[in-house]
Amino acid sequence: MPFLDHLEELRWRILWSLVAVLVGTVVGWWLLDKVDIIEVLKRPIAPYLPGGRLVFTSPAEPFMLTLKVAFALGCLAASPVVIYQIWAFLAPALYEREKRLIIPALAVGVVLFLAGAIACYQWLLPAALKVLLGFQRTDLTAMITIDRYFGMAVPFVVGCGLIAELPLVVTILAALGIVTPQFLGRQRRYAIVIAAFLAAILTPPDAVSMMLMLGPLLLLYELSIWCAWVASRRRARRVAAATMVLIVLGIGSLRAQNPPPPPPPSRPPAAAPQGHPAPWIPRLPARSASRPPRLAPSLLPTP
């Protein structure tokens, strides 16, 4: 396919993805009128709020919060369409083995992301809020705004969902032979630094949230080393089996191309050279089976 045709197809894929997100956002806005999703998102911090309510300092904050939540729901609802458009654009350039590897990886990736986000919402986010608000004095009153709370909670939850993809990414790289468990083990000290950097970016600017994300990230890295070990062993077995098949096929093809030489033909007796008569071989007369052999006189018995 020419380059301009690829660009045209990419343009249509992006347009269909944006339309799906737009439709999902409209559905999410309608869903917010039926289900109080904002109350569910506010549940981790509700015990620490006076009256259990968040405050806002700008007239536009409730509208912007509703729009952001509806957009997030729209992206979640449109994710199957977006994933399909990405797959339809990339699939013609992939080998059959790569297709068999990516299709299950997409399903597992969605499950891992949701599992990481739900675990953060259920355990990590309440623990972080408990530690941070535990320093509150009796003579102080919390006045947490909508923008401040969701600006902290949403990146924290999404970041935990993203780091839950680490074992899957490492397993795919190990299955493709790009990384090995020995390499990951040797680079552990650098991985700790990178994990601390990612935890600082994906969490709010406080040490508690950073440490709460750094711990699971390091555990996931160790789990990724084990997953890479399993994937490397399976890949080594496949390579060994393929090598044996190639060796057997190669030996068979060599035998077919180089058959064994035929046995040499039997030689006739050599003829006597010209000018020299053939040697005379005396021929004994044939003896009858009924006539006894004649003995020499010295061998006859004496009367």
Side-chain angles (χ1 to χ4, degrees):
M1 183 183 294
F3 178 71
L4 294 179
D5 293 343
H6 280 291
L7 291 180
E8 181 69 17
E9 182 184 1
L10 178 61
R11 184 173 71 91
W12 281 106
R13 299 292 181 190
I14 294 176
L15 286 177
W16 282 116
S17 300
L18 292 178
V19 169
V21 172
L22 180 61
V23 173
T25 302
V26 174
V27 174
W29 190 287
W30 173 82
L31 191 63
L32 285 175
D33 292 336
K34 305 298 181 182
V35 182
D36 195 358
I37 299 178
I38 297 179
E39 181 67 25
V40 176
L41 298 176
K42 192 186 67 174
R43 189 176 299 166
I45 201 173
Y48 307 101
L49 298 175
R53 293 184 177 184
L54 292 169
V55 300
F56 58 91
T57 58
S58 171
E61 282 191 19
F63 170 76
M64 294 303 300
L65 175 63
T66 305
L67 182 61
K68 291 177 181 178
V69 175
F71 178 72
L73 293 175
C75 292
L76 184 62
S79 58
V81 179
V82 176
I83 292 174
Y84 170 75
Q85 296 297 331
I86 296 174
W87 171 254
F89 180 74
L90 297 177
L94 300 176
Y95 294 104
E96 191 64 29
R97 177 176 174 271
E98 295 172 342
K99 292 180 182 179
R100 292 196 303 266
L101 183 65
I102 290 177
I103 292 176
L106 290 175
V108 175
V110 173
V111 174
L112 288 178
F113 178 83
L114 293 178
I118 292 173
C120 179
Y121 174 79
Q122 291 288 340
W123 295 295
L124 293 182
L125 182 60
L129 293 173
K130 182 179 180 179
V131 172
L132 292 174
L133 295 175
F135 295 96
Q136 181 178 348
R137 296 165 53 92
T138 56
D139 55 344
L140 300 177
T141 302
M143 191 179 66
I144 303 174
T145 63
I146 296 174
D147 185 62
R148 292 289 185 176
Y149 169 68
F150 284 99
M152 169 194 173
V154 172
F156 195 26
V157 173
V158 174
C160 289
L162 291 177
I163 67 171
E165 307 280 347
L166 181 61
L168 176 63
V169 174
V170 173
T171 303
I172 293 176
L173 295 178
L176 295 176
I178 299 176
V179 297
T180 60
Q182 294 79 14
F183 172 80
L184 295 175
R186 289 194 304 267
Q187 307 301 323
R188 184 179 280 108
R189 53 184 178 179
Y190 301 108
I192 295 174
V193 176
I194 296 174
F197 178 73
L198 291 177
I201 292 178
L202 297 176
T203 57
D206 61 86
V208 175
S209 301
M210 176 182 171
M211 296 304 297
L212 286 175
M213 181 172 283
L214 180 60
L217 189 54
L218 295 178
L219 292 178
L220 288 173
Y221 183 79
E222 299 298 329
L223 178 62
S224 301
I225 295 178
W226 180 81
C227 294
W229 178 75
V230 174
S232 299
R233 288 193 61 183
R234 295 185 61 182
R235 183 174 183 272
R237 286 197 297 265
R238 288 196 303 266
V239 171
T243 304
M244 291 299 298
V245 171
L246 290 177
I247 291 175
V248 172
L249 293 178
I251 293 175
S253 61
L254 288 177
R255 287 182 177 178
Q257 294 176 3
N258 301 318
S266 59
R267 288 187 174 183
Q274 295 181 0
H276 296 277
W280 177 81
I281 300 175
R283 301 181 65 181
L284 298 176
R287 183 170 298 169
S288 175
S290 60
R291 184 179 177 182
R294 183 181 296 177
L295 300 176
S298 61
L299 299 177
L300 293 176
T302 58

